[in-house]
Amino acid sequence: MTKTGILLVGHGSKKEYNKNLITKTAEIIAQKNPDYIVRCGFMEFNEPTIRESLDLFKQDDVDSIAVVPLFLARGVHIDEDIPGILGLAPGQKRGLFPLAGKEVPLVYADPIGPNPLLADLMMENAKAALDLI
């Protein structure tokens, strides 16, 4: 049975808690979505790299891959660096990934951006902080 691969991409950091944010988020996604194969990869400082994680999908029976950056906003990494690693031209969101003698669709998601869920989360954090008063 084929599944969809999800690659959660983080920037990477010398601080371990930043890596843990990405890996734990990937674990939560995988637990809540068992029909997907979820991996994470990093731009720099941490392993696995984006390329290494993509290559791990070659061991799986996936029919497509979605690359999802865990970044808040657009920038050089989102618009140029990550698409370059994925083999996509700047501004391109769709491509193909070679996998076991075939090519599967690869799509590149947008960063989080001004999302109402993010606003709700910020209010939740503000209220928790205000409870300390």
Side-chain angles (χ1 to χ4, degrees):
M1 180 175 126
T2 59
K3 293 187 175 189
T4 298
I6 304 289
L7 176 58
L8 187 65
V9 173
H11 183 276
S13 172
K14 294 178 182 176
K15 303 289 185 183
E16 188 67 23
Y17 56 81
N18 286 316
K19 179 181 180 181
N20 290 341
L21 170 88
I22 304 300
T23 57
K24 297 233 183 271
T25 302
E27 289 171 10
I28 293 167
I29 292 169
Q31 289 170 357
K32 291 185 173 190
N33 301 278
D35 291 339
Y36 293 84
I37 297 173
V38 182
R39 301 191 185 288
C40 59
F42 299 91
M43 286 277 318
E44 54 192 13
F45 302 116
N46 301 119
E47 293 181 349
T49 65
I50 296 169
R51 174 55 49 199
E52 290 168 341
S53 291
L54 278 172
D55 285 343
L56 287 174
F57 283 117
K58 292 178 179 179
Q59 303 170 18
D60 303 311
D61 189 16
V62 295
D63 56 8
S64 59
I65 299 172
V67 178
V68 183
L70 184 47
F71 285 61
L72 289 177
R74 305 193 81 76
V76 172
H77 289 323
I78 293 296
D79 292 338
E80 297 174 20
D81 298 337
I82 297 171
I85 293 168
L86 301 176
L88 301 174
Q92 189 178 10
K93 294 290 191 177
R94 295 170 41 172
L96 295 171
F97 182 71
L99 184 70
K102 62 180 180 177
E103 291 183 321
V104 298
L106 180 142
V107 292
Y108 180 44
D110 288 326
I112 296 168
N115 187 304
L117 293 173
L118 182 60
D120 291 344
L121 180 59
M122 294 299 93
M123 277 309 299
E124 182 181 311
N125 289 351
K127 288 177 183 177
L130 290 167
D131 286 344
L132 298 175
I133 295 177

